[in-house]
Amino acid sequence: MAHRIAVVVLDDFAPLDLGIPGQVFWAARDRDGNHLYEVVTCSVGGAPVRTNAGYRVLPDHGLEVLDSADTVLVPGVHGGPAMLTGTIPPALGEALQGRPRVMSICTGAFVLAAAGLLDGRPATTHWMNASRFRRLFPKVLLDPDVLFVDDGDVLTSAGVASGLDLCLHVIRRDHGSEVANRTARRCVMPPWREGGQAQYIDRPLPEANGSGTAATRDWMLERLQEPLDLAALAEHARMSVRTFTRRFREETGLSPARWLALQRVEQARHLLETTDLAVAQVARRSGFGTAVSLRQHLHAAVGVSPLAYRQTFRRS
């Protein structure tokens, strides 16, 4: 049976945030093409809900559908009581309690916080609303620098496109990297994005003059198991080390070393999930060299050892 996701919309909801779960989870399928998720939409009383884009939507369900949902997702809102006063309709606050898994996109975190679901827990929201969020919900451990936060049964994401990242992360968590990567390809999106919101805050875009670091990043991805030092990377990009480092950080929000380490971790995770290779072989093929190095990097990234990760995420 498909995993049911109930999307709860309020007045002034963000239109794209509503479309993201319907598209991304719809695209998640098993090897036989069967849908892994069912997405339904609801509102308080099943009433029409307006957006600030000049139209309304009429959900098929009221809040009673939450009782049959495996996951509840709240899209962002552009204003309304949740953002202005930190309150939501009592019926919604009650309906959100005790759900197996709850997610939010962008300012949907205001709704979860207003329901008391984020008190004492880590969470994120759009960086532009961080100050307002802290004033309204001082008990929440807000981190406005990340793309999303996975706190087990409660997950929150930053602005708009990070909702794509979060939905894809959930698919990976539920079904492994093979399904998530296949879903990403179907949606024509990257399987993951590096860095956090900090790379999008008042940062000028690099000039599109063909002299960026994208080609070198592609070159690095093809050689993850090889030793790649900064001098070799700068030489490939035909830049000085100083210029390469500066432009790389401008374009990715990360240093070359940090970006490379993240790619190697993702490669190791993929190999652990999809192959029977020994940990030492995974370490060599992902560029960490030794099992000890892989263990240290993987534990820093996801908090578990390679064997524990494989036991959790390996799919038959």
Side-chain angles (χ1 to χ4, degrees):
M1 181 178 295
H3 181 113
R4 172 171 273 199
I5 297 177
V7 182
V8 184
V9 286
L10 288 77
D11 281 336
D12 299 311
F13 73 89
L16 180 57
D17 292 1
L18 175 60
I20 286 172
Q23 180 62 43
V24 178
F25 287 114
W26 172 85
R29 312 191 184 180
D30 63 20
R31 285 186 171 274
D32 296 324
N34 300 309
H35 289 280
L36 296 171
Y37 298 90
E38 174 195 12
V39 179
V40 297
T41 305
C42 64
S43 63
V44 177
V49 185
R50 68 174 181 272
T51 173
N52 63 352
Y55 61 89
R56 298 187 179 211
V57 299
L58 179 60
D60 288 341
H61 304 278
L63 296 179
E64 65 277 358
V65 78
L66 300 188
D67 292 334
S68 62
D70 302 293
T71 296
V72 176
L73 188 152
V74 181
V77 288
H78 292 156
M83 293 191 68
L84 297 177
T85 61
T87 60
I88 56 176
L92 176 58
E94 181 178 349
L96 289 174
Q97 304 301 317
R99 301 304 171 188
R101 183 166 68 188
V102 182
M103 302 166 53
S104 67
I105 297 177
C106 194
T107 50
F110 281 77
V111 178
L112 300 190
L117 300 180
L118 302 182
D119 286 355
R121 306 187 69 155
T124 192
T125 190
H126 196 294
W127 62 269
M128 291 184 66
N129 301 106
S131 296
R132 177 190 296 272
F133 189 96
R134 286 194 174 106
R135 287 195 303 271
L136 291 173
F137 310 110
K139 295 181 181 180
V140 181
L141 307 178
L142 185 69
D143 183 355
D145 294 329
V146 296
L147 294 178
F148 61 82
V149 171
D150 180 345
D151 195 37
D153 60 335
V154 177
L155 303 92
T156 52
S157 64
V160 191
S162 61
L164 294 165
D165 300 309
L166 179 60
C167 292
L168 203 59
H169 167 75
V170 167
I171 293 170
R172 179 174 189 144
R173 194 176 102 170
D174 291 348
H175 298 285
S177 63
E178 185 176 355
V179 173
N181 291 344
R182 193 162 60 238
T183 303
R185 287 193 296 271
R186 189 181 187 99
C187 294
V188 195
M189 60 182 286
W192 66 85
R193 286 193 295 161
E194 301 79 27
Q197 290 196 75
Q199 63 186 299
Y200 302 105
I201 300 174
D202 295 332
R203 183 183 297 275
L205 293 173
E207 295 181 8
N209 55 12
S211 60
T213 64
T216 299
R217 294 199 300 274
D218 291 340
W219 183 78
M220 294 163 70
L221 290 174
E222 295 173 357
R223 294 165 175 79
L224 291 178
Q225 60 186 323
E226 300 177 12
L228 297 172
D229 59 31
L230 192 55
L233 301 179
E235 180 180 1
H236 180 272
R238 298 182 180 179
M239 302 177 190
S240 68
V241 169
R242 182 176 180 180
T243 298
F244 176 77
T245 302
R246 174 176 56 81
R247 290 191 178 177
F248 198 100
R249 188 177 290 277
E250 286 176 348
E251 295 173 20
T252 68
L254 299 168
S255 69
R258 177 59 179 159
W259 187 89
L260 180 60
L262 287 173
Q263 309 313 310
R264 285 173 167 163
V265 166
E266 291 301 327
Q267 173 69 355
R269 291 170 67 175
H270 176 73
L271 293 174
L272 288 169
E273 293 178 30
T274 60
T275 74
D276 293 316
L277 292 172
V279 171
Q281 292 175 296
V282 172
R284 287 193 295 272
R285 291 197 183 189
S286 55
F288 288 114
T290 67
V292 172
S293 179
L294 169 59
R295 194 172 297 113
Q296 292 173 340
H297 281 84
L298 188 66
H299 193 277
V302 297
V304 297
S305 69
L307 289 178
Y309 183 87
R310 172 171 274 166
Q311 291 171 356
T312 301
F313 291 99
R314 180 65 188 270
R315 302 292 167 178
S316 60

